[in-house]
Amino acid sequence: MVSVAEITPVDHSAPGRAARALSMLRRHRVFAAAFGVGAVLRLMTMLGYGPAMWFNDSYEYVSVALHPRPHPIRPDGYSFWLMLLKPFHSFTLVMFTQHLMGLATAALIYALLRIKFRLPKWGATLAAAPVLFDAYQIQLEQMVMSDTMFTLLVVGVVTLVLWKRRLSWKAGAVIGLLLAMTWLTRSIGLPILALVVLYLLVKRTGWRPIAAVITACAVPVMVYMGWFASAYGKFAMTNSDGLILYMRTAIFADCNKMDIDKYKEVQLLLLCINDPVSQRKDYAQWYLWGQGNGDGTGTGEVLHRWGINKKWSEITNDAASKFATRAILSQPGDYLSVVARDFFRSFNWSRPLFPDPSTYNMYEFKPYVELDDNGQPKRLPKWSSYQGGRTDTDAFSYEQGPPETRIVHPWADIMSGYQKVFYLRGIMLGGILLIGLYGVAVRWRKFGGPVVLPWLGAVGLLLAPAATAEFDYRYVLPAVPLACIAAAITLRRGVTWARRSPRSAAKSAPTTLRV
């Protein structure tokens, strides 16, 4: 007797991957449509301004990617990313990955607000809209700069911290690694680490996840600092923190008010500026990056008194740090005044020209090719890179071809016109932050609840540059996603000061969410 195995019938009605993907797109069609428009805008940017756009800092990032070394001015995290992509010899690919980072940031915002906090689809999409559609956000993604990566990392950290009510040590380790990457990308990652740890302590998460966060963050950072010490003899991330703070104080520092001992503190005297405060530059960057008059006097940049090759040395950095600290303690009112002025620059309706035309124009989509004094298209500057190389030849070597931005019509015209209208006005950002502040205030019994982390993160990202360096328009953009998250969480159940009754709360409770 022969038995035949029963054949299990195939259920042809079971949806495949494509069908499930289409079903998800239909369920989230509002965000999918916005995401698609954002992707099209980025494609037009790449077509109109390829292979990349350039900022003054861009060249050193490329230099480190070609000649690996700890940089004295800024951490190397972004250069490590360029290093990974170097075998492809394509700035176009680098820009493509950065546009993907921008879109991923928007997707994280939507997922957090829709799945975790159960906002309506249109509300979660609206919170992600500034990242998707802001022309200056898109333009920054097209530049060889670290800001897009930094923004994605910060939003990723906040998303993971807020996602689960109880954080495991494994999730804490992932958050710690992301914080390390954030810190290695931009120095401001250290305050973000402190903010996250403080939030977890207030939330009473437990010692294991907090220990995992700190340990996972500390290990990569300590390794990098050890590498830095092997090159410069100082266990640190950079040799520029004191110099940048000096730049912040140079526009108001008055040595007559600082009680400097001219016999014992000669190093501080070398940093004194001869010009009266009323005649100084109205932007601080000049006193660190200006070329000077060559004699260390007048409006020339006084750091040249130390010698151009010693500008970024540990000795100069330490002296600048002492000078800046003395200036702040001697003139606290002047310091708070310049910090407040720069902080509130973030909330203008328009974008007033600041700090200077050259820097301001680097953030603009221009529909024309810039010409040099000879009427020829501008080439990349021929600056010497720190510790070897040259800016134009390094960029050419990385690309294995001409790296200059090529203006291509009509895409450049479209994005230039788009930028004149579609960007988040500063006063709108101020309104978004006020909504988040309201959310923190009404949750004061819970120390601000889940609103406080993104809200303090947004305010900190705006305040830190104003307090330690100077306002710059690109410093505003990483704060926008966090401000939108805080405002969206605040508004998820409407605006009210009164405590609702259990019956009304039950009626307004969200139903099970289908993702």
XYZ file of all heavy atoms in Angstrom, residues 69-116:
396
model
N 44.116 62.077 9.850
C 44.810 62.637 10.998
C 43.764 63.302 11.888
O 42.717 63.724 11.395
C 45.823 63.685 10.546
C 45.190 64.884 9.849
C 46.212 65.783 9.209
N 45.621 66.981 8.640
C 45.054 67.054 7.430
N 44.995 65.963 6.661
N 44.555 68.185 6.976
N 43.983 63.408 13.170
C 43.061 64.177 14.016
C 43.207 65.664 13.709
O 44.315 66.207 13.733
C 43.519 63.845 15.440
C 44.933 63.409 15.302
C 45.067 62.784 13.952
N 42.108 66.295 13.391
C 42.164 67.710 13.016
C 42.110 68.582 14.262
O 41.325 68.312 15.172
C 41.001 68.051 12.084
C 41.225 69.272 11.276
N 40.997 70.537 11.773
C 41.685 69.454 10.011
C 41.280 71.433 10.841
N 41.711 70.805 9.769
N 42.915 69.642 14.340
C 42.938 70.459 15.559
C 41.717 71.347 15.740
O 41.460 71.803 16.856
C 44.195 71.317 15.373
C 44.355 71.419 13.892
C 43.901 70.105 13.343
N 40.949 71.604 14.676
C 39.850 72.557 14.763
C 38.523 71.887 15.032
O 37.715 72.365 15.836
C 39.769 73.397 13.476
C 41.089 74.103 13.210
C 38.626 74.411 13.566
C 41.131 74.859 11.904
N 38.253 70.752 14.380
C 36.951 70.087 14.501
C 37.141 68.572 14.496
O 38.109 68.067 13.901
C 36.032 70.521 13.354
C 36.590 70.261 11.982
C 35.730 70.869 10.897
N 35.742 72.315 10.942
C 36.676 73.070 10.341
N 37.665 72.502 9.679
N 36.610 74.372 10.406
N 36.228 67.817 15.137
C 36.356 66.349 15.134
C 36.223 65.781 13.721
O 35.686 66.420 12.815
C 35.194 65.889 16.032
C 34.798 67.094 16.823
C 35.094 68.278 15.954
N 36.653 64.544 13.552
C 36.781 63.941 12.221
C 35.614 63.047 11.818
O 35.721 62.331 10.810
C 38.071 63.103 12.153
C 39.323 63.961 12.081
O 39.186 65.187 11.911
O 40.422 63.402 12.223
N 34.526 63.045 12.580
C 33.450 62.102 12.295
C 32.948 62.159 10.863
O 32.779 61.121 10.204
N 32.714 63.345 10.354
C 32.215 63.477 8.981
C 33.288 63.069 7.974
O 32.972 62.461 6.942
C 31.771 64.919 8.739
C 31.270 65.176 7.327
C 30.118 64.573 6.853
C 31.961 66.036 6.473
C 29.654 64.805 5.567
C 31.506 66.285 5.193
C 30.348 65.666 4.745
O 29.890 65.896 3.462
N 34.527 63.363 8.290
C 35.614 62.948 7.393
C 35.710 61.432 7.302
O 36.084 60.884 6.264
C 36.945 63.532 7.871
O 36.965 64.935 7.726
N 35.367 60.739 8.405
C 35.353 59.276 8.351
C 34.322 58.787 7.335
O 34.541 57.799 6.630
C 35.030 58.695 9.728
C 36.097 58.934 10.765
C 35.776 58.956 12.115
C 37.419 59.139 10.394
C 36.754 59.173 13.073
C 38.410 59.363 11.347
C 38.066 59.383 12.693
N 33.183 59.474 7.267
C 32.157 59.107 6.276
C 32.674 59.336 4.858
O 32.492 58.498 3.975
C 30.889 59.916 6.532
C 29.774 59.631 5.574
C 29.291 60.441 4.592
C 29.001 58.424 5.495
N 28.272 59.837 3.913
C 28.063 58.590 4.450
C 29.006 57.229 6.208
C 27.156 57.601 4.096
C 28.088 56.238 5.871
C 27.184 56.436 4.827
N 33.329 60.480 4.642
C 33.932 60.736 3.331
C 34.987 59.681 3.005
O 35.142 59.272 1.848
C 34.558 62.128 3.303
C 33.616 63.331 3.432
C 34.418 64.625 3.401
C 32.564 63.331 2.349
N 35.704 59.233 4.030
C 36.727 58.226 3.825
C 36.108 56.897 3.357
O 36.659 56.216 2.487
C 37.497 58.025 5.137
C 38.884 57.438 4.976
S 39.683 57.231 6.605
C 39.586 58.909 7.228
N 34.964 56.537 3.948
C 34.283 55.305 3.549
C 33.849 55.346 2.088
O 33.878 54.324 1.390
C 33.065 55.064 4.444
C 33.337 54.596 5.872
C 32.024 54.537 6.651
C 34.016 53.241 5.884
N 33.457 56.536 1.624
C 32.968 56.677 0.254
C 34.076 57.032 -0.742
O 33.811 57.131 -1.940
C 31.873 57.753 0.204
C 30.614 57.472 1.048
C 29.643 58.634 0.952
C 29.938 56.179 0.617
N 35.289 57.216 -0.255
C 36.391 57.653 -1.123
C 36.654 56.711 -2.299
O 36.950 57.186 -3.407
C 37.658 57.834 -0.286
C 38.843 58.369 -1.087
C 40.033 58.641 -0.189
C 40.581 57.361 0.408
N 41.846 57.574 1.153
N 36.555 55.371 -2.147
C 36.839 54.499 -3.298
C 35.957 54.765 -4.515
O 36.347 54.420 -5.639
C 36.590 53.093 -2.732
C 36.819 53.228 -1.264
C 36.323 54.592 -0.919
N 34.781 55.379 -4.315
C 33.891 55.649 -5.441
C 34.261 56.940 -6.175
O 33.755 57.194 -7.274
C 32.446 55.733 -4.956
C 31.947 54.458 -4.326
C 31.965 54.285 -2.948
C 31.471 53.427 -5.113
C 31.506 53.117 -2.369
C 31.008 52.258 -4.543
C 31.027 52.091 -3.164
N 35.101 57.782 -5.568
C 35.566 59.031 -6.190
C 34.389 59.828 -6.768
O 34.380 60.200 -7.940
C 36.586 58.744 -7.290
C 37.844 58.128 -6.766
N 38.713 58.803 -5.945
C 38.374 56.885 -6.949
C 39.733 58.014 -5.638
N 39.558 56.851 -6.226
N 33.418 60.097 -5.934
C 32.211 60.764 -6.429
C 31.589 61.629 -5.337
O 31.021 61.107 -4.367
C 31.195 59.730 -6.918
O 29.975 60.346 -7.265
N 31.705 62.940 -5.486
C 30.969 63.831 -4.589
C 29.464 63.731 -4.849
O 28.660 64.010 -3.960
C 31.438 65.276 -4.761
C 32.759 65.556 -4.104
C 33.861 65.928 -4.858
C 32.905 65.436 -2.741
C 35.091 66.183 -4.262
C 34.129 65.687 -2.118
C 35.219 66.060 -2.889
N 29.085 63.344 -6.039
C 27.664 63.123 -6.332
C 27.101 62.042 -5.421
O 25.994 62.182 -4.880
C 27.473 62.722 -7.800
O 27.940 63.780 -8.644
C 26.001 62.455 -8.108
N 27.857 60.973 -5.227
C 27.419 59.915 -4.318
C 27.337 60.426 -2.881
O 26.398 60.101 -2.146
C 28.368 58.722 -4.401
C 28.070 57.561 -3.440
C 26.695 56.975 -3.717
C 29.156 56.500 -3.528
N 28.317 61.220 -2.476
C 28.294 61.787 -1.122
C 27.031 62.619 -0.925
O 26.336 62.503 0.099
C 29.549 62.635 -0.871
C 29.471 63.319 0.492
C 30.810 61.785 -0.950
N 26.712 63.464 -1.913
C 25.519 64.300 -1.794
C 24.238 63.449 -1.798
O 23.285 63.750 -1.094
C 25.469 65.321 -2.941
C 26.635 66.303 -2.963
S 26.851 67.219 -1.407
C 28.241 66.334 -0.670
N 24.247 62.384 -2.581
C 23.092 61.488 -2.610
C 22.848 60.884 -1.226
O 21.704 60.833 -0.748
C 23.317 60.384 -3.644
C 22.215 59.364 -3.705
C 20.969 59.693 -4.235
C 22.419 58.075 -3.229
C 19.953 58.749 -4.283
C 21.410 57.129 -3.279
C 20.173 57.465 -3.806
N 23.924 60.442 -0.575
C 23.755 59.880 0.772
C 23.267 60.942 1.753
O 22.491 60.635 2.667
C 25.068 59.278 1.285
O 26.071 60.296 1.399
C 25.572 58.186 0.347
N 23.709 62.180 1.582
C 23.246 63.234 2.487
C 21.779 63.565 2.263
O 21.053 63.850 3.223
C 24.130 64.475 2.332
C 25.541 64.245 2.835
C 26.415 65.478 2.824
O 27.592 65.388 3.167
N 25.909 66.621 2.443
N 21.330 63.534 1.029
C 19.898 63.738 0.785
C 19.086 62.589 1.377
O 17.977 62.805 1.890
C 19.634 63.876 -0.713
C 20.115 65.176 -1.293
N 19.729 66.399 -0.786
C 20.947 65.452 -2.332
C 20.300 67.371 -1.488
N 21.041 66.821 -2.423
N 19.621 61.379 1.310
C 18.948 60.254 1.968
C 18.884 60.475 3.479
O 17.885 60.125 4.127
C 19.671 58.947 1.658
C 19.574 58.416 0.227
C 20.334 57.090 0.105
C 18.118 58.225 -0.204
N 19.931 61.055 4.045
C 19.927 61.364 5.478
C 18.830 62.373 5.812
O 18.140 62.252 6.833
C 21.284 61.923 5.900
C 22.412 60.926 5.876
S 24.000 61.717 6.306
C 25.156 60.420 5.877
N 18.670 63.379 4.968
C 17.605 64.355 5.195
C 16.234 63.714 5.147
O 15.367 63.981 6.004
N 16.005 62.861 4.146
C 14.722 62.165 4.043
C 14.526 61.206 5.213
O 13.405 61.070 5.730
C 14.655 61.413 2.718
C 14.618 62.283 1.453
C 14.777 61.418 0.209
C 13.321 63.090 1.372
N 15.599 60.543 5.656
C 15.501 59.637 6.797
C 15.149 60.399 8.071
O 14.401 59.888 8.925
C 16.821 58.880 6.978
N 15.670 61.615 8.222
C 15.317 62.438 9.383
C 13.821 62.711 9.416
O 13.169 62.594 10.466
C 16.103 63.762 9.344
O 17.508 63.484 9.340
C 15.764 64.630 10.540
N 13.257 63.079 8.265
C 11.818 63.315 8.188
C 11.029 62.051 8.503
O 9.996 62.097 9.195
C 11.452 63.844 6.801
N 11.497 60.899 8.002
C 10.811 59.633 8.252
C 10.827 59.284 9.742
O 9.832 58.770 10.282
C 11.448 58.517 7.435
N 11.942 59.555 10.428
C 12.018 59.298 11.866
C 11.018 60.163 12.630
O 10.358 59.689 13.564
C 13.434 59.563 12.375
C 14.488 58.492 12.093
C 15.853 58.960 12.590
C 14.117 57.172 12.750
N 10.921 61.434 12.248
C 9.968 62.330 12.900
C 8.549 61.799 12.730
O 7.772 61.725 13.703
C 10.091 63.755 12.329
C 11.459 64.347 12.650
C 8.983 64.655 12.866
C 11.748 65.641 11.934
N 8.202 61.423 11.520
C 6.849 60.913 11.244
C 6.581 59.629 12.026
O 5.523 59.479 12.652
C 6.680 60.666 9.753
C 5.318 60.124 9.381
C 4.229 60.978 9.221
C 5.115 58.747 9.204
C 2.980 60.484 8.891
C 3.869 58.248 8.875
C 2.806 59.119 8.723
O 1.557 58.621 8.405
N 7.542 58.699 12.000
C 7.337 57.423 12.685
C 7.180 57.615 14.185
O 6.306 56.999 14.818
C 8.511 56.489 12.387
N 8.013 58.457 14.785
C 7.927 58.705 16.222
C 6.573 59.291 16.606
O 5.924 58.827 17.556
C 9.053 59.643 16.651
C 9.037 60.096 18.116
C 9.305 58.921 19.044
C 10.062 61.208 18.356
N 6.145 60.291 15.870
C 4.905 60.981 16.228
C 3.667 60.153 15.899
O 2.664 60.190 16.623
C 4.844 62.330 15.512
C 5.950 63.324 15.900
C 5.843 64.583 15.062
C 5.873 63.663 17.390
N 3.729 59.402 14.830
C 2.555 58.618 14.415
C 2.405 57.330 15.225
O 1.309 57.001 15.681
C 2.687 58.295 12.920
C 1.531 57.464 12.355
C 0.241 58.234 12.337
N -0.861 57.400 11.848
C -2.072 57.420 12.351
N -2.350 58.215 13.367
N -3.031 56.666 11.854
N 3.499 56.602 15.408
C 3.417 55.298 16.063
C 3.470 55.425 17.581
O 2.655 54.839 18.289
C 4.553 54.383 15.555
C 4.410 54.168 14.049
C 4.531 53.041 16.273
C 5.565 53.407 13.424
N 4.440 56.179 18.079
C 4.597 56.294 19.520
C 3.565 57.227 20.135
O 2.913 56.879 21.129
C 6.016 56.791 19.831
C 6.243 57.185 21.283
C 6.073 56.012 22.228
C 6.334 56.445 23.678
N 6.115 55.321 24.617
